[in-house]
Amino acid sequence: MYFGCVIENWCLSSQTAHTECCLFAPVTQLIALMCTSPASETDRQAKHALFKIYVGTLAMVQGSSDPDSVTLLSSLLSGVQQVVAAEPTANQNFFRQAGALTKAVKLLSAEYP
């Protein structure tokens, strides 16, 4: 799980004991990166890949049995809203191309504890 590795590596490198900080600092950094406008075609392709990973992470987090998964999922969905608000047309297209609508509908129709 790519996103989980990012979280785990960040937590280990910062040696923080705060789970909440561990969960949300990488999400905040990803959102900031996703709000950045691509300067070249290579940047656009990299941004497209990042959006695909981000959208793919939604399903991974949904299937997790971790007690913090619902909170993280909420944070990820909020991130979608923030990124689209930053550059509506371009970022909506990135999310559309990454299949975000289908994933969001599945998430919203799922049952949670």
Side-chain angles (χ1 to χ4, degrees):
M1 183 159 93
Y2 177 78
F3 191 74
C5 293
V6 170
I7 291 172
E8 183 178 3
N9 290 338
W10 183 84
C11 291
L12 292 174
S13 68
S14 66
Q15 297 182 346
T16 181
H18 303 288
T19 303
E20 188 171 315
C21 179
C22 244
L23 289 174
F24 299 110
V27 173
T28 303
Q29 292 168 355
L30 283 172
I31 291 168
L33 185 58
M34 292 168 74
C35 288
T36 305
S37 296
S40 67
E41 180 59 25
T42 303
D43 287 352
R44 194 193 69 70
Q45 291 172 356
K47 188 171 180 175
H48 176 70
L50 179 61
F51 274 67
K52 286 179 102 172
I53 292 168
Y54 190 90
V55 169
T57 302
L58 293 172
M60 286 187 247
V61 173
Q62 179 191 12
S64 173
S65 60
D66 188 316
D68 291 322
S69 64
V70 173
T71 305
L72 180 56
L73 188 57
S74 176
S75 180
L76 289 170
L77 289 172
S78 175
V80 170
Q81 181 182 18
Q82 293 171 40
V83 172
V84 169
E87 252 187 89
T89 304
N91 290 339
Q92 280 179 5
N93 285 333
F94 278 117
F95 276 121
R96 183 183 48 78
Q97 292 166 359
L101 182 59
T102 304
K103 295 251 191 312
V105 169
K106 286 180 183 179
L107 290 172
L108 295 173
S109 64
E111 292 185 29
Y112 295 96

